[in-house]
Amino acid sequence: MSHSERTSSVPAKLTTKQAILGAVLAYISLIISQLAAVLVSQGIVRLGVPSAVGSAISGILYIVLAFLCVSLICRKCFKSTMDSCRITKFSVKPIWGITALILPCIIVFIYFMMPGHLKNTVMDAGELCYTITNAVIFYGLAAGIVEEVIFRGVIMSALEQRWNRYIAVIVPSVIFALSHVIGADLNFVSILQLLVAGSMVGIMFSLITYESGNIWNSALMHIIWNIVMIGGILHIGVEENKYFLFNYVLDSHSFAITGGDFGIEASVIAIMGYLIFSILAIVLLQRRRLK
């Protein structure tokens, strides 16, 4: 038996109550951990600590609180360990490490080939340090790891252990997409586009988790994607965003290309990227089963 097969094994089936309770508690844990981390960061900054340091502390605290909550859920609700949710020691397969770099690079390259212009935002040293720290530590490491631990770790495993893998892939992916709709100022078409894109990227992360046997491969993809695409380093859209270090302002206003009100993460181009690497994960899973 391979290492990935050992780490992807699951314990005896959970009851419906255990599965639903564990999934709900995991989602609540994500919200509470993030809120607590942000509030602590804001308090520290008000005391005179540089905003970059506050952002770094916020990201680290977010991860720590989420892991503490998840450990408690696994022990008390699932009567198991975090390993049963594929939250194992850090391990990344080379193919997914490479993919984590390739996916955002391909998307950025395609957009840079489209008509538009590049602009950089003038920032002082403090703003620049905060922007980079926020992108790498909070939006990158913290958000990427915690969201994968919650959605592809606890929730997906809970649904799989109670029902089956199909439900375990689809349901958390749809919830993941819906989570990005909350609080967003979007029109109806943009909401539909976001639900499709959010579900597709969730399915991609889920399939990668199954293929690799742990959450760290999808987490690495999530981290690098967030750093490059949403953290504050590079913004691609129809208007300049002054909170990003670099802006590539597109001439096109087609919602299929721009992703509508949500942005290029929900574009047809991004969705095609999610689909291609989802297919790669399926192919690798099928090959392993045939061995």
Side-chain angles (χ1 to χ4, degrees), residues 90-108 135-136 138-149 152 176 180 200-212 214-231 265 270-282 284:
F90 181 80
S91 175
V92 172
K93 296 179 73 171
I95 188 168
W96 299 122
I98 295 170
T99 299
L101 295 170
I102 289 176
L103 177 58
C105 287
I106 289 175
I107 301 298
V108 169
V136 175
F138 188 83
Y139 284 107
L141 284 170
I145 290 172
V146 173
E147 288 180 13
E148 291 310 299
V149 165
R152 260 60 66 178
F176 182 71
H180 289 78
M200 279 302 306
V201 74
I203 289 170
M204 178 187 74
F205 287 146
S206 299
L207 292 171
I208 290 170
T209 298
Y210 275 129
E211 196 286 325
S212 62
N214 64 59
I215 59 98
W216 296 111
N217 294 267
S218 61
L220 181 61
M221 289 191 69
H222 203 150
I223 289 166
I224 295 178
W225 177 271
N226 281 5
I227 291 173
V228 175
M229 308 300 285
I230 71 169
E265 287 184 286
I271 291 172
M272 289 301 298
Y274 309 149
L275 179 60
I276 289 169
F277 289 106
S278 293
I279 292 171
L280 173 61
I282 291 171
L284 292 175

Side-chain angles (χ1 to χ4, degrees), residues 254-267:
S254 167
F255 73 88
I257 292 174
T258 65
D261 295 336
F262 188 77
I264 65 165
E265 287 184 286
S267 69

Side-chain angles (χ1 to χ4, degrees), residues 17-289:
K17 179 181 177 181
Q18 283 178 304
I20 294 176
L21 179 62
V24 170
L25 288 175
Y27 191 82
I28 292 173
S29 296
L30 183 150
I31 297 171
I32 292 175
S33 298
Q34 185 181 92
L35 181 60
V38 170
L39 289 174
V40 169
S41 173
Q42 290 175 346
I44 290 173
V45 171
R46 287 195 187 99
L47 293 174
V49 173
S51 57
V53 176
S55 178
I57 292 172
S58 179
I60 294 168
L61 187 59
Y62 186 18
I63 295 172
V64 171
L65 291 175
F67 266 80
L68 288 174
C69 291
V70 167
S71 176
L72 191 62
I73 291 168
C74 290
R75 286 189 287 109
K76 299 298 184 180
C77 188
F78 298 163
K79 309 300 180 184
S80 186
T81 65
M82 290 199 293
D83 279 7
S84 68
C85 293
R86 300 183 178 85
I87 307 168
T88 63
K89 290 182 179 179
F90 181 80
S91 175
V92 172
K93 296 179 73 171
I95 188 168
W96 299 122
I98 295 170
T99 299
L101 295 170
I102 289 176
L103 177 58
C105 287
I106 289 175
I107 301 298
V108 169
F109 176 78
I110 291 172
Y111 276 103
F112 274 24
M113 293 298 101
M114 295 181 181
H117 60 278
L118 184 66
K119 293 186 70 176
N120 69 295
T121 304
V122 178
M123 298 182 178
D124 60 32
E127 291 170 334
L128 179 61
C129 191
Y130 171 75
T131 298
I132 294 174
T133 303
N134 213 33
V136 175
I137 298 181
F138 188 83
Y139 284 107
L141 284 170
I145 290 172
V146 173
E147 288 180 13
E148 291 310 299
V149 165
I150 298 298
F151 287 100
R152 260 60 66 178
V154 180
I155 298 177
M156 190 173 81
S157 296
L159 298 182
E160 177 190 4
Q161 291 169 33
R162 174 57 187 91
W163 288 284
N164 56 60
R165 281 194 173 187
Y166 296 103
I167 290 175
V169 168
I170 299 299
V171 173
S173 299
V174 174
I175 296 172
F176 182 71
L178 287 169
S179 298
H180 289 78
V181 175
I182 299 171
D185 184 17
L186 307 173
N187 61 37
F188 182 70
V189 173
S190 294
I191 289 174
L192 291 179
Q193 197 168 351
L194 172 56
L195 289 176
V196 172
S199 298
M200 279 302 306
V201 74
I203 289 170
M204 178 187 74
F205 287 146
S206 299
L207 292 171
I208 290 170
T209 298
Y210 275 129
E211 196 286 325
S212 62
N214 64 59
I215 59 98
W216 296 111
N217 294 267
S218 61
L220 181 61
M221 289 191 69
H222 203 150
I223 289 166
I224 295 178
W225 177 271
N226 281 5
I227 291 173
V228 175
M229 308 300 285
I230 71 169
I233 304 296
L234 173 66
H235 176 260
I236 301 174
V238 295
E239 295 179 351
E240 183 180 355
N241 188 324
K242 65 180 182 179
Y243 296 107
F244 281 71
L245 185 56
F246 298 102
N247 282 270
Y248 190 73
V249 183
L250 297 167
D251 292 343
S252 173
H253 283 70
S254 167
F255 73 88
I257 292 174
T258 65
D261 295 336
F262 188 77
I264 65 165
E265 287 184 286
S267 69
V268 171
I269 295 168
I271 291 172
M272 289 301 298
Y274 309 149
L275 179 60
I276 289 169
F277 289 106
S278 293
I279 292 171
L280 173 61
I282 291 171
V283 169
L284 292 175
L285 278 166
Q286 292 295 333
R287 283 185 179 178
R288 196 173 69 195
R289 287 179 185 144

